[in-house]
């Protein structure tokens, strides 16, 4: 299976190279070509199942359909959005937001403070909400609206990341109150207050159509329409760009390289906080017994070779989950380097001995664990396979299991993960604090819990940087993720697209590219 996928990947890259040598973007051959496409952007995006910022906060569409009290600027700092301004009462730990009076929902209804109250009560009071971000709001004690354009949010203590979390999209109370937010049809027919309005979702054709919001309260976008194609396969995205079926896509580094010398296309290289690594499920039987041996595996990985071989050099070696965050990057946490001799010494200290087959054993158990990897994510598959090969050489059997979708109940020992902390470092709180809402791998470390809680509730920036530096050192000793690399974000589009701004550091899967979509233009 691994060899077959690798051969197919190589063949697709070769065919793409040959076709791009003398070809530029062509007219779309499907139904989209029948419409007026002169001011339409066709974006080859990700697979989608829901468009609701409470449930799906890692994709592009919620950010351009919905608006938050705050939004991020080019430098990733929160600034007012639905709020014209805000006040913070330090003594009372209370935020007062003064809302815009000129905002309407996409269905024409007025946006008011009641919508804000409804949204944050869902986040803080609905115990059935299937959301990974609820831990971000655990300091909120009350949300009230003294009048239709004022919202008061009280906290039980100071929270350094709270303004960041107020960027989360607001939902319409008049459409969702009394309904199950997890399952309501609204999630496939969203109505927001943002720059673009939802028009239709063609599930059979894999297309979501949006139109610009002519009544948007801020700058109305230049591009009239966005056709968002729900695509998972990386080969398919590259082929769609080459054939003219898509105008813009995030591509892995190997595919992006094939477009760089073709004048019919542009490439944009973003810095991202997006890492890759094997995230271990601490609830699995294997890691319950052997979690003490995760960190030492770093010594058996030539991470630079992975970056050069899989990422075309488009990335950096990873040693910390907040390494590309302004408050991270503590060099004292970089305690592992590729060293097979040291790896063997450390394994011996941990009580591991090589068996007759060359695989380490301890207490009668082989060092064998299974990592699930989605088969359509070629870059992740290549990373996982190379990690497996390197570990096997060192005496550890990491089995790569290809799946169509992640299955958290199938008994795997982990998955080939990606995550990003591109804004406040507190973004990792929900992922690493014991029993937090995004802690799907059940990681638990009292010292990590203490550091992340302290970092969340500390005001001074320099003090916070020191705290997160300590977190990095603590985590490096007892990691839950075998980190490999941080990726660069490679976008490829037709030559007629202008306006993409590479100032901002992007997130997981290079999400955030549309942060300034209102300034983009397209010419064919």
């Amino acid at each position: 299976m691994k060899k077959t996928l690798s051969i197919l990947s190589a063949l697709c890259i070769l065919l793409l190279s040959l076709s791009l040598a003398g070809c530029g973007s062509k007219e779309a051959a499907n139904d989209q070509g029948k419409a007026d496409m002169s001011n339409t952007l066709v974006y080859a995006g990700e697979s989608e199942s829901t468009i609701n910022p409470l449930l799906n906060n890692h994709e592009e569409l919620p950010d351009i359909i919905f608006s938050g009290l705050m939004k991020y600027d080019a430098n990733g700092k929160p600034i007012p959005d639905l709020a014209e301004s805000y006040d913070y009462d330090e003594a009372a730990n209370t935020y007062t937001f003064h809302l815009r009076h000129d905002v309407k929902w996409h269905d024409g209804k007025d946006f008011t403070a009641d919508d804000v109250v409804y949204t944050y009560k869902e986040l803080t009071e609905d115990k059935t909400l299937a959301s990974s971000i609820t831990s971000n709001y655990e300091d909120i004690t009350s949300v009230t609206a003294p009048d239709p354009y004022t919202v008061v949010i009280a906290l039980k203590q100071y929270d350094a990341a709270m303004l960041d979390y107020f960027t989360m999209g607001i939902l319409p109370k008049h459409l969702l109150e009394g309904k199950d937010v997890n399952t309501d049809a609204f999630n496939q027919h969203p109505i927001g207050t943002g720059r673009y309005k939802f028009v239709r979702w063609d599930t059979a054709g894999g297309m979501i159509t949006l139109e610009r919001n002519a009544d948007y309260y801020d700058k109305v976008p230049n591009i009239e329409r966005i056709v968002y194609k729900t695509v998972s396969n990386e080969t398919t995205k590259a082929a769609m760009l080459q054939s003219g079926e898509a105008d813009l896509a995030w591509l892995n580094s190997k595919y992006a390289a094939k477009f760089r010398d073709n004048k019919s296309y542009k490439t944009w290289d973003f810095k991202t906080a997006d890492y890759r690594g094997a995230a271990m499920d601490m609830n699995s039987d294997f890691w319950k017994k052997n979690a003490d041996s995760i960190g030492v595996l770093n010594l058996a990985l030539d991470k630079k070779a992975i970056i050069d071989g899989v990422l075309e050099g488009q990335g950096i070696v990873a040693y910390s989950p907040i390494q590309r965050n302004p408050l991270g990057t503590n060099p004292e946490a970089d305690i592992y380097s590729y060293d097979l001799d040291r790896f063997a010494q450390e394994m011996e200290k941990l009580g591991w001995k090589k068996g007759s087959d060359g695989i380490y054993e301890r207490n009668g158990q082989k060092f064998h664990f299974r990592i699930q990897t989605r088969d359509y994510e070629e870059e992740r598959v290549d990373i996982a396979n190379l990690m497996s090969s390197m570990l096997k050489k060192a005496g550890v059997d990491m089995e790569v299991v290809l799946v169509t979708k992640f299955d958290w109940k199938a008994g795997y020992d982990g998955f080939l993960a990606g995550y990003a902390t591109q804004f406040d470092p507190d973004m990792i709180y929900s992922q690493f604090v014991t029993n937090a809402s995004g802690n799907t791998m059940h990681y638990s470390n009292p010292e990590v819990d203490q550091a992340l809680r302290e970092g969340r509730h500390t005001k001074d920036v320099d003090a916070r940087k020191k705290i997160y530096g300590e977190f990095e050192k603590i985590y490096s000793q007892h990691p839950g993720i075998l980190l490999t690399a941080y990726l660069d974000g490679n976008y490829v589009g037709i030559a007629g697209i202008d306006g993409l701004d590479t100032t901002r550091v992007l997130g997981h899967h290079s999400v955030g590219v549309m942060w300034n979509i209102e300034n983009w233009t397209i010419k064919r």
Side-chain angles (χ1 to χ4, degrees):
M1 181 70 171
K2 295 178 186 176
K3 289 184 178 179
T4 302
L5 187 59
S6 178
I7 292 170
L8 286 173
S9 299
L11 181 59
C12 288
I13 292 174
L14 176 62
L15 291 174
L16 189 59
S17 301
L18 293 172
S19 63
L20 284 172
C23 296
S25 178
K26 302 175 183 178
E27 289 298 318
N30 60 13
D31 288 344
Q32 71 191 37
K34 298 176 183 179
D36 177 12
M37 300 297 293
S38 61
N39 198 17
T40 296
L41 173 72
V42 182
Y43 182 86
E46 304 286 312
S47 293
E48 296 284 0
S49 60
T50 180
I51 306 175
N52 181 328
L54 271 64
L55 308 176
N56 172 7
N57 62 320
H58 294 298
E59 309 296 349
E60 295 288 351
L61 293 184
D63 190 49
I64 62 174
I65 294 174
F66 296 90
S67 311
L69 291 170
M70 308 289 285
K71 66 180 179 180
Y72 289 111
D73 66 10
N75 297 309
K77 301 299 182 184
I79 59 175
D81 190 6
L82 287 173
E84 286 185 325
S85 63
Y86 68 91
D87 305 307
Y88 178 65
D89 184 335
E90 188 171 347
N93 288 319
T94 299
Y95 284 95
T96 300
F97 291 94
H98 309 285
L99 305 182
R100 290 175 176 268
H101 290 237
D102 57 346
V103 180
K104 290 187 178 295
W105 292 99
H106 294 156
D107 63 0
K109 301 290 186 181
D110 288 336
F111 161 78
T112 71
D114 286 344
D115 299 305
V116 180
V117 173
Y118 163 76
T119 300
Y120 281 98
K121 288 203 171 203
E122 280 294 314
L123 277 169
T124 58
E125 297 179 8
D126 184 354
K127 302 305 181 185
T128 69
L129 187 65
S131 173
S132 64
I133 62 173
T134 54
S135 290
N136 296 343
Y137 304 91
E138 64 186 24
D139 282 327
I140 293 177
T141 57
S142 67
V143 185
T144 56
D147 64 61
Y149 294 99
T150 305
V151 174
V152 179
I153 301 181
L155 310 180
K156 60 186 174 184
Q157 57 188 319
Y158 175 80
D159 189 319
M162 207 68 245
L163 281 177
D164 284 68
Y165 298 140
F166 288 143
T167 61
M168 199 269 308
I170 301 300
L171 298 178
K173 176 183 177 181
H174 67 282
L175 295 176
L176 285 169
E177 186 176 32
K179 298 181 178 179
D180 185 348
V181 175
N182 296 306
T183 59
D184 195 76
F186 174 91
N187 297 331
Q188 288 75 43
H189 301 82
I191 292 190
T193 55
R195 293 163 284 181
Y196 280 87
K197 299 191 294 185
F198 173 85
V199 177
R200 69 180 64 86
W201 192 332
D202 176 5
T203 53
M207 291 190 296
I208 300 170
T209 302
L210 312 178
E211 290 182 354
R212 66 184 173 195
N213 180 8
D215 297 320
Y216 184 56
Y217 51 86
D218 206 336
K219 185 179 185 229
V220 175
N222 298 310
I223 296 176
E224 180 180 347
R225 187 181 302 106
I226 296 176
V227 176
Y228 184 99
K229 296 202 169 183
T230 54
V231 186
S232 299
N233 187 276
E234 296 175 4
T235 304
T236 303
K237 289 184 182 182
M240 288 170 66
L241 274 172
Q242 191 276 324
S243 69
E245 293 180 77
D247 302 318
L248 181 69
W250 166 60
L251 298 183
N252 70 45
S253 52
K254 287 187 177 180
Y255 285 138
K258 306 305 175 182
F259 291 86
R260 290 190 184 277
D261 295 326
N262 191 313
K263 294 182 180 179
S264 296
Y265 299 90
K266 289 180 180 176
T267 56
W268 296 267
D269 297 323
F270 286 81
K271 181 179 178 181
T272 85
D274 192 14
Y275 67 67
R276 294 290 178 271
M280 312 307 186
D281 185 353
M282 296 305 176
N283 263 4
S284 78
D285 290 338
F286 183 82
W287 293 122
K288 282 180 180 178
K289 300 174 183 176
N290 301 301
D292 64 335
S293 302
I294 295 174
V296 71
L297 298 179
N298 284 282
L299 297 170
L301 293 180
D302 186 348
K303 299 179 183 181
K304 183 65 165 57
I306 293 174
I307 292 168
D308 291 341
V310 179
L311 304 181
E312 301 279 310
Q314 297 284 304
I316 62 170
V317 169
Y319 64 83
S320 160
I322 57 171
Q323 187 177 330
R324 275 195 159 170
N325 192 281
L327 297 187
T329 319
N330 183 356
E332 293 182 45
D334 189 6
I335 61 175
Y336 305 105
S337 58
Y338 179 52
D339 188 335
L340 291 178
D341 289 336
R342 185 183 163 206
F343 172 74
Q345 294 168 8
E346 295 299 323
M347 288 292 282
E348 185 175 354
K349 291 178 184 177
L350 289 167
W352 293 95
K353 304 288 185 183
K354 279 191 176 180
S356 58
D357 58 357
I359 301 300
Y360 280 101
E361 300 176 4
R362 186 172 70 172
N363 300 324
Q365 185 177 32
K366 294 280 188 184
F367 204 140
H368 167 260
F369 59 97
R370 300 192 305 156
I371 296 295
Q372 57 177 323
T373 307
R374 289 185 293 211
D375 55 10
Y376 57 82
E377 293 183 301
E378 295 171 20
E379 194 170 66
R380 288 201 199 197
V381 171
D382 290 344
I383 290 172
N385 284 338
L386 195 47
M387 289 174 68
S388 176
S389 176
M390 291 176 176
L391 291 173
K392 191 69 170 286
K393 178 182 175 182
V396 172
D397 186 10
M398 183 180 102
E399 181 184 351
V400 178
V401 183
L402 299 182
V403 297
T404 56
K405 64 183 294 185
F406 291 135
D407 186 343
W408 309 119
K409 298 180 180 179
Y412 297 111
D413 301 301
F415 73 110
L416 207 292
Y419 193 76
T421 308
Q422 70 272 34
F423 300 123
D424 194 278
D426 186 76
M427 289 177 71
I428 60 169
Y429 182 99
S430 65
Q431 186 185 16
F432 289 116
V433 168
T434 303
N435 296 324
S437 58
N439 191 346
T440 57
M441 293 292 98
H442 314 287
Y443 180 83
S444 181
N445 183 326
E447 290 183 277
V448 165
D449 292 352
Q450 181 179 345
L452 294 183
R453 289 193 174 105
E454 189 177 353
R456 170 174 280 193
H457 299 124
T458 297
K459 297 178 184 179
D460 182 76
V461 174
D462 291 335
R464 292 189 80 208
K465 184 173 179 63
K466 184 177 180 180
I467 291 166
Y468 285 110
E470 286 301 310
F471 155 77
E472 289 181 290
K473 288 197 294 183
I474 294 166
Y475 185 78
S476 67
Q477 296 285 346
H478 304 286
I481 303 172
L482 184 57
L483 294 165
T484 56
Y486 279 87
L487 282 58
D488 293 341
N490 308 125
Y491 277 87
V492 177
I494 61 173
I497 296 177
D498 281 308
L500 277 74
D501 189 332
T502 58
T503 304
R504 186 185 293 180
V505 176
L506 300 186
H508 179 45
H509 280 198
S510 294
V511 163
V513 67
M514 293 187 182
W515 70 269
N516 71 327
I517 183 70
E518 63 273 16
N519 296 326
W520 294 13
T521 59
I522 185 168
K523 293 180 181 178
R524 298 183 183 280

